[in-house]
Amino acid sequence: MASLIACPHCGPRPKEEFTIRGDAGITRPTPDAGEDAWYAYVYLRDNPRGRHKEHWHHTSGCRRWLVVERDTMTHAIYAVSDASAPGETA
Amino acid sequence: MSSFRLSTGGRIDRANPLDFTFDGKPMQGFAGDTLASALLANGRQLVGRSFKYHRPRGILTAGAAEPNALVTVGEGGRTEANTRATLVELYSGLTAKSQNRWPSVDFDLGAVNSLLSPFLGAGFYYKTFMWPAAFWEKVYEPIIRKAAGLGRATYEPDPDSYEKCWAHCDLLVIGSGPAGLAAALTAGRAGARIILADEGFEPGGSLLSETAPIGEQSAADLLTQTLAELTSLPNVRIFSRTTVFGWYDGNIFGAVESVQKNTATVDPNRPIERIWRIAAKHAILASGAEERPLVFGGNDIPGVMMAGAMRSYLNRQAIAPGKNTVIFANDASGYATAADLEAAGLDVTAIIDSRPDASRLWSGKARVLANSVVLDANGGKNVKGVTVLNNGRPETIAADALAMSGGWSPIIHLACHRGAKPVWSDAKAAFLAPETQEGLTIAGSAAGLGGLEACLADGAGKALSVLRALGFSNTSAAFAPAADKTIVSRPLWRVRGSKGKAFVDYQNDVHLKDLGLAVSEGYGHVELAKRYTTNGMATDQGKLSNINAIGILAEARKVSPADVGTTTFRPFYTPLSFGALTGASKGKHFQPVRKSPLHDWAKKHGAVFVETGLWYRSSWFPQAGETSWRESVDREVLNVRKNAGICDVSTLGKIEIYGKDAAEFLNRIYCNAFLKLPVGKARYGLMLREDGMVYDDGTTSRLSENHFFMTTTTAYAAGVMNHLEFCAQALWPDLDVQFASSTDQWAQIAVAGPKSRDILQTMVDEDISDAAFPFLGAKEVSLCGGKLTGRLFRISFSGELAYELAVPAGYGEAVADAIMEAGKPHGICPYGVEALGVMRIEKGHVTHSEINGTVIPSDLGFAKMVSTAKPDFIGKAMLSREGLTADDRLSLVGVKPLDPATTFKTGSHILAEGAVPSLDNDQGYVSSSCYSPNVGSTIGLALVKRGPKRHGEHVTVWNDLKNEYTRAVLCSPVFFDPENEKLHG
């Protein structure tokens, strides 16, 4: 069933309009960061219980990539911001 | 004697008789009846056979928890099995059938199982069907499958439609009994947007069968008056026949509304059921309480009924349970039933109460046996009497009906759907859910309260608190505070000394001894006991049985019910039809259909279409006299290579890319260079994933300094768009680049073949000679003397001299018609994706058959395309991994049979010549294959270990599915015009 995600551009919208990508806490390494950093970036993911920041795409809306901070246990959403300016909520 | 209808009383409309049938027998009821009450009115108490022992079963409850009276309603595609007769609103023309019986419910051969019952105890599946292992599939499983289940689903399609909608409110009130009504009235008067949902066809809950007055007013009058006020309020919506079945994230509630389940003449323009997703700021759960059965011998014989249900049938539908009723209770509810029966002039033979001080509750005629229990109900297909242990002395009492009440359990399912755990309360002798959670408050008997006044007061009071929290300050409670005066008795989990089977879970035929067995065999944990005995499974999910089972397990384990705990409550509260869950997403509405702007053009030329994802693409264009698809495709291929052909390529993904950093952006997206792509040029681009594998390919053209036009494959159009947006917004937000998908805005037409230039030049106003517009040219052109502007690209998938012309979608068909007209003297023909596929395999061009998520550029012969100069691009870092640089990687190679008369299939594997066919000897596989009319045999592209270094090597193509072996030779993947003379012609 649905929950609402407060898109900073479109307001509260049903989650069916969004697509989840995954962990937003990882940063793309520099090209010369070395094998380990790249391996971690491409393959290694934490599966935390509780608060977690994820990339969600407002696919059927404004088509912006968002950082959604939510609780993986309760599904409560704490904050949503645009991926280009994470942390700044509208 | 059996149940019958009294000549007066009840809320039924005696002026409105309704005809229905049960097992083919015509019967009559009235408007206001449920199927269950109508069956009782017709003296029909035996309505089904039990699951395991095929015992005769009657109607036990008057609500959603009914475990016995499961019937099949409707016929043909409207057949609905396992329907609770207690919730079916009677209508004229209803047909119902009993289940799990043969040849009839009155005479059922399956009842022989009762004789086998010593062998059918808990866990018998696990113990009986163990050995020999080979028997499982052939013997045991078919037997179990045949015996399993109750009603049978129909194979006919459902003729009805369903829908899903959203609803929004400040306060959702679930249940329209006293607490729910009081909450709704309080909130309604405050001006809040209210939805009041109730599963019944008439709102009111227990008030519908209540005879006790509330203050000066009768319950019926209070109900009428409250509903009248609620109906008059524009901010209140009352959803009857609507079961709220789940509580979900974001305070969304799922509910199913029965729209037309109460009629035989279904309006095809309206749905039969409707799923509501209710977004509520807050909800008040006023779902009431469930009366517990008592566990004694024969407690399942037809004629045994819950006391509250008996009272409801008596007061709502004027049903007498029989002539002489015995009540067995350790709760006040039994006395209320007895009083109403006597008031209706019916005999109550005895009230048997396990409590020592029972008689002080009673001022009626019936004799009260305190400190007594019913050991056994006697009878077969109906109750004949009871054997009572009266203060230790056995006594037999004749009776034709038996009411039982073991106390009440709050209905807390919804409150526990989001993880809250029920907590045992010794004071209430019940499992309670947390009274307030974020977004949900429990009120009335669902919160463990008893008594009408207390429930009304609680509903009003809880609503008041919720309203204040929601910002409705100027409001007051609709009912005055009242104390809960209920006397809670110690639960009687079971009667000791019964002779007959004492059922705990009626629907699954779990009886007392099964639970004892589970404990003694080590399955006493509540979750294990459920699986071992099946207690609490199936359609009712233990609504009636779970609490008794927990009490019995607690006694057997010598602990408190608190230590046993409950199993987990999950949605749905009651069973939901697949139709309702499917909603409108069926048949042609299952998924959208995408049609190219050239669809009608292709259709008019006789195209055969193929579904590719959501798209319908023209596959080939058969001509008169052609008898097979191959014949058409061969002709199309040969004609394109000799003359010219026209093909719809509009389904390719098209993305407009703008911005002063667009070139830099593309340079980071593609593995090959794009920064210096000149304006007016197209370039083939290869896009990688971050792990180094090829993601997608296509051509991107630079139309002006800061405007690029990208094409993607049909399948990955949406994925590539998402990928570009992610990279631009999340990875490199500092780059100035914007995207717009224009897939649907352009009709794109490939014109290929040696005559293509001659044909197009008649329409394109600019000079498109090889000198003026060489291979990989890309520009905006004027068409037909300035009538239209389009985009022309000199790119080729077929390997021929070829162009792709894009025009605004609405002009697609006219332009295609004009090309056909201009091409007529040159022998042009339309060709489809099959011919396109043949030509690209002949030229060794890859598609997603090769770009299958396991290949890197060098596997496809694109090693040189990968830029070594660029500091970064998606996929660069991982490309240098050990495994991706190994020299025995599967790489692209051509393959063709040694004998042109032989063939092979895509997906077949490659073996070294003479090698034993095994996975160890597997050298790779054929990724694409077709018949090439130019080569004169089957040809294939294959991904083979060190493939490019093995041209000329003889191999075996192995299809283990068909046990076929084809001798073949590996070769260059370019089978036709290897020097690309035609392309540059």
Side-chain angles (χ1 to χ4, degrees):
Chain A
M1 292 293 291
S3 55
L4 297 173
I5 294 177
C7 173
H9 309 292
C10 311
R13 302 296 306 168
K15 82 166 183 219
E16 284 83 352
E17 291 183 358
F18 298 80
T19 315
I20 188 169
R21 178 186 167 101
D23 195 349
I26 49 173
T27 308
R28 189 171 184 269
T30 57
D32 55 357
E35 240 176 54
D36 290 349
W38 275 97
Y39 179 77
Y41 174 68
V42 174
Y43 293 112
L44 299 186
R45 294 292 181 274
D46 289 333
N47 185 16
R49 178 187 171 99
R51 279 190 183 237
H52 191 37
K53 285 184 179 174
E54 291 166 329
H55 275 129
W56 287 68
H57 187 218
H58 198 180
T59 316
S60 302
C62 61
R63 297 202 62 90
R64 291 298 297 182
W65 279 92
L66 310 172
V67 174
V68 175
E69 187 178 10
R70 68 178 186 107
D71 193 306
T72 59
M73 203 171 58
T74 65
H75 303 168
I77 291 172
Y78 301 113
V80 186
S81 55
D82 192 281
S84 66
E88 288 175 29
T89 43
Chain B
M1 190 59 209
S2 55
S3 55
F4 58 95
R5 178 100 66 191
L6 297 168
S7 56
T8 56
R11 299 176 70 91
I12 43 170
D13 179 3
R14 290 173 198 259
N16 191 359
L18 303 171
D19 293 314
F20 70 104
T21 67
F22 181 70
D23 281 343
K25 194 181 164 202
M27 295 186 179
Q28 201 176 65
F30 295 115
D33 263 325
T34 60
L35 174 58
S37 68
L39 287 167
L40 290 170
N42 284 272
R44 187 79 230 183
Q45 284 173 295
L46 166 54
V47 296
R49 289 277 173 167
S50 75
F51 180 60
K52 198 156 85 175
Y53 302 121
H54 288 248
R55 285 173 67 104
R57 288 283 165 83
I59 295 157
L60 197 61
T61 73
E66 178 60 36
N68 282 347
L70 303 179
V71 297
T72 299
V73 173
E75 287 176 318
R78 292 203 169 97
T79 302
E80 201 170 346
N82 301 339
T83 306
R84 288 154 297 171
T86 49
L87 286 192
V88 174
E89 183 178 353
L90 193 70
Y91 56 85
S92 176
L94 181 148
T95 59
K97 294 183 195 76
S98 58
Q99 301 180 159
N100 211 34
R101 82 293 190 267
W102 187 83
S104 79
V105 70
D106 291 303
F107 180 73
D108 171 33
L109 286 177
V112 70
N113 278 9
S114 272
L115 302 175
L116 301 174
S117 67
F119 307 104
L120 295 175
F124 86 101
Y125 286 100
Y126 312 115
K127 293 168 185 167
T128 312
F129 301 115
M130 295 271 287
W131 313 104
F135 267 40
W136 243 114
E137 207 175 310
K138 296 229 161 66
V139 182
Y140 296 146
E141 194 184 315
I143 293 173
I144 293 170
R145 288 217 178 278
K146 196 158 182 289
L150 289 165
R152 300 274 171 226
T154 177
Y155 285 92
E156 290 179 51
D158 185 341
D160 296 319
S161 61
Y162 299 81
E163 71 179 21
K164 293 184 182 179
C165 355
W166 283 93
H168 298 80
C169 60
D170 296 315
L171 182 67
L172 168 67
V173 180
I174 302 160
S176 66
L181 281 177
L185 191 60
T186 302
R189 284 176 182 168
R193 291 175 308 153
I194 310 296
I195 291 176
L196 173 62
D198 193 280
E199 66 187 355
F201 56 83
E202 198 181 354
S206 67
L207 291 174
L208 294 167
S209 43
E210 187 52 71
T211 49
I214 296 135
E216 304 286 291
Q217 210 171 16
S218 77
D221 287 348
L222 175 79
L223 175 60
T224 309
Q225 189 188 313
T226 307
L227 285 176
E229 184 174 347
L230 285 173
T231 311
S232 75
L233 293 171
N235 52 321
V236 176
R237 299 163 79 184
I238 302 177
F239 289 11
S240 289
R241 304 180 177 90
T242 303
T243 304
V244 180
F245 58 73
W247 182 29
Y248 299 94
D249 296 345
N251 233 39
I252 309 286
F253 291 82
V256 61
E257 179 186 1
S258 165
V259 183
Q260 293 193 85
K261 287 278 187 189
N262 56 345
T263 175
T265 49
V266 174
D267 177 354
N269 296 316
R270 295 171 65 221
I272 191 104
E273 284 183 324
R274 184 182 284 136
I275 291 268
W276 287 99
R277 284 182 282 186
I278 303 172
K281 285 184 186 159
H282 202 95
I284 287 185
L285 180 64
S287 43
E290 199 73 69
E291 196 169 25
R292 284 192 301 277
L294 288 162
V295 180
F296 57 91
N299 63 349
D300 65 328
I301 297 172
V304 179
M305 197 184 269
M306 302 310 307
M310 191 179 280
R311 184 167 181 240
S312 168
Y313 287 123
L314 174 69
N315 294 336
R316 253 188 105 175
Q317 282 109 358
I319 304 291
K323 292 277 192 196
N324 306 293
T325 303
V326 167
I327 313 271
F328 178 24
N330 74 336
D331 179 84
S333 161
Y335 294 85
T337 304
D340 287 353
L341 286 168
E342 289 194 347
L346 296 161
D347 283 339
V348 177
T349 314
I351 301 172
I352 293 131
D353 196 321
S354 60
R355 296 170 295 181
D357 56 347
S359 55
R360 67 180 173 81
L361 292 165
W362 181 241
S363 54
K365 282 190 282 182
R367 101 190 230 238
V368 175
L369 278 62
N371 198 25
S372 302
V373 292
V374 171
L375 286 176
D376 283 283
N378 305 320
K381 289 172 192 163
N382 57 288
V383 171
K384 301 251 193 293
V386 290
T387 305
V388 171
L389 197 62
N390 181 359
N391 286 289
R393 292 183 311 278
E395 178 184 338
T396 303
I397 300 171
D400 57 5
L402 173 58
M404 58 179 168
S405 176
W408 296 81
S409 306
I411 300 173
I412 53 174
H413 299 62
L414 281 171
C416 299
H417 277 175
R418 292 175 71 192
K421 290 279 176 205
V423 177
W424 175 256
S425 157
D426 272 323
K428 299 276 185 191
F431 280 99
L432 301 176
E435 207 157 286
T436 47
Q437 299 178 61
E438 198 185 329
L440 185 90
T441 305
I442 314 181
S445 54
L449 296 177
L452 273 175
E453 283 84 358
C455 287
L456 288 165
D458 194 46
K462 297 259 173 69
L464 202 60
S465 318
V466 170
L467 288 164
R468 285 187 179 140
L470 291 176
F472 295 87
S473 50
N474 187 20
T475 182
S476 58
F479 293 89
D484 179 11
K485 290 179 190 157
T486 347
I487 303 153
V488 178
S489 340
R490 204 171 138 257
L492 175 67
W493 296 125
R494 61 179 179 127
V495 170
R496 288 158 201 271
S498 296
K499 285 204 181 103
K501 276 195 176 65
F503 284 90
V504 181
D505 187 321
Y506 292 79
Q507 188 170 127
N508 294 298
D509 267 355
V510 178
H511 54 98
L512 185 57
K513 283 182 185 161
D514 290 325
L515 287 164
L517 196 64
V519 171
S520 67
E521 295 190 345
Y523 296 94
H525 186 282
V526 66
E527 296 284 2
L528 295 177
K530 173 174 178 174
R531 275 80 193 172
Y532 198 64
T533 64
T534 71
N535 192 97
M537 293 192 176
T539 65
D540 68 349
Q541 286 289 296
K543 286 185 179 61
L544 223 51
S545 66
N546 278 349
I547 306 299
N548 276 340
I550 290 163
I552 291 162
L553 289 172
E555 273 189 9
R557 285 167 52 188
K558 299 183 175 61
V559 295
S560 153
D563 301 318
V564 176
T566 62
T567 51
T568 307
F569 293 101
R570 293 189 180 88
F572 310 121
Y573 172 63
T574 51
L576 221 51
S577 69
F578 282 109
L581 290 172
T582 305
S585 305
K586 63 171 185 177
K588 63 181 184 188
H589 299 296
F590 179 68
Q591 57 180 21
V593 168
R594 294 185 83 180
K595 285 182 181 168
S596 147
L598 294 171
H599 188 87
D600 290 340
W601 168 82
K603 204 170 172 180
K604 138 177 117 185
H605 288 280
V608 173
F609 292 95
V610 61
E611 280 183 57
T612 53
L614 302 179
W615 288 104
Y616 281 69
R617 298 187 72 178
S618 35
S619 211
W620 64 87
F621 294 81
Q623 287 190 350
E626 288 174 349
T627 54
S628 75
W629 69 273
R630 257 283 309 283
E631 208 178 330
S632 309
V633 172
D634 286 357
R635 171 187 47 77
E636 289 170 17
V637 169
L638 292 171
N639 192 66
V640 172
R641 297 242 185 263
K642 179 165 168 255
N643 299 311
I646 169 173
C647 182
D648 178 12
V649 292
S650 306
T651 61
L652 293 180
K654 305 178 206 67
I655 301 170
E656 312 284 337
I657 303 171
Y658 292 92
K660 68 178 171 51
D661 295 323
E664 169 62 26
F665 178 80
L666 288 169
N667 213 38
R668 297 185 195 180
I669 286 292
Y670 284 120
C671 73
N672 49 323
F674 267 82
L675 198 55
K676 290 173 185 161
L677 178 68
V679 171
K681 279 289 184 187
R683 181 169 290 172
Y684 178 69
L686 210 52
M687 213 178 268
L688 308 189
R689 308 189 311 211
E690 203 70 276
D691 65 0
M693 302 297 164
V694 181
Y695 176 50
D696 200 48
D697 68 347
T699 58
T700 290
S701 307
R702 193 169 202 168
L703 298 177
S704 70
E705 183 63 23
N706 295 333
H707 177 195
F708 290 77
F709 176 69
M710 175 186 281
T711 61
T712 75
T713 59
T714 300
Y716 278 49
V720 167
M721 183 73 182
N722 295 347
H723 173 61
L724 298 185
E725 286 168 332
F726 180 79
C727 293
Q729 297 168 23
L731 297 184
W732 310 307
D734 48 319
L735 293 186
D736 176 10
V737 59
Q738 303 292 333
F739 316 95
S741 165
S742 61
T743 303
D744 294 312
Q745 274 65 46
W746 296 102
Q748 195 145 321
I749 303 162
V751 183
K755 310 280 180 63
S756 59
R757 182 185 292 128
D758 296 341
I759 295 166
L760 278 176
Q761 188 66 80
T762 65
M763 299 174 59
V764 178
D765 300 335
E766 288 89 346
D767 177 12
I768 58 167
S769 66
D770 191 50
F773 195 62
F775 182 56
L776 294 177
K779 66 174 181 184
E780 208 162 72
V781 292
S782 161
L783 298 169
C784 305
K787 285 188 186 137
L788 187 66
T789 303
R791 290 172 180 176
L792 189 66
F793 309 91
R794 188 170 161 194
I795 51 179
S796 175
F797 200 40
S798 58
E800 294 299 318
L801 168 67
Y803 300 84
E804 287 185 15
L805 176 64
V807 294
Y811 291 95
E813 185 167 352
V815 170
D817 284 343
I819 295 172
M820 284 296 286
E821 190 60 35
K824 207 179 267 174
H826 300 283
I828 198 169
C829 76
Y831 66 101
V833 289
E834 284 295 334
L836 189 75
V838 171
M839 288 188 280
R840 71 98 188 163
I841 296 172
E842 287 180 338
K843 288 296 291 181
H845 290 157
V846 296
T847 65
H848 279 294
S849 298
E850 287 74 36
I851 305 174
N852 59 13
T854 70
V855 298
I856 56 172
S858 61
D859 298 340
L860 300 175
F862 293 139
K864 286 185 185 157
M865 273 180 74
V866 180
S867 165
T868 49
K870 290 198 283 187
D872 191 12
F873 58 82
I874 298 285
K876 180 181 166 87
M878 291 301 248
L879 262 186
S880 55
R881 282 185 290 164
E882 197 180 344
L884 303 192
T885 52
D887 68 352
D888 65 343
R889 286 186 60 79
L890 303 185
S891 303
L892 188 72
V893 66
V895 57
K896 58 186 174 186
L898 284 175
D899 175 358
T902 58
T903 184
F904 51 74
K905 291 257 191 308
T906 303
S908 298
H909 282 244
I910 306 290
L911 297 168
E913 197 170 41
V916 175
S918 71
L919 285 179
D920 286 343
N921 288 334
D922 183 24
Q923 299 280 299
Y925 55 91
V926 178
S927 52
S928 303
S929 68
C930 67
Y931 176 80
S932 163
N934 291 297
V935 175
S937 76
T938 292
I939 58 171
L941 299 178
L943 293 163
V944 178
K945 280 182 186 171
R946 287 176 288 105
K949 293 179 183 145
R950 294 168 69 177
H951 292 181
E953 184 183 323
H954 288 192
V955 293
T956 301
V957 181
W958 166 39
N959 178 0
D960 197 37
L961 292 176
K962 291 270 173 78
N963 201 28
E964 284 171 359
Y965 299 85
T966 309
R967 298 186 63 216
V969 59
L970 299 180
C971 57
S972 159
V974 186
F975 294 89
F976 182 79
D977 185 24
E979 304 304 321
N980 282 331
E981 285 165 13
K982 302 194 78 180
L983 180 70
H984 294 286

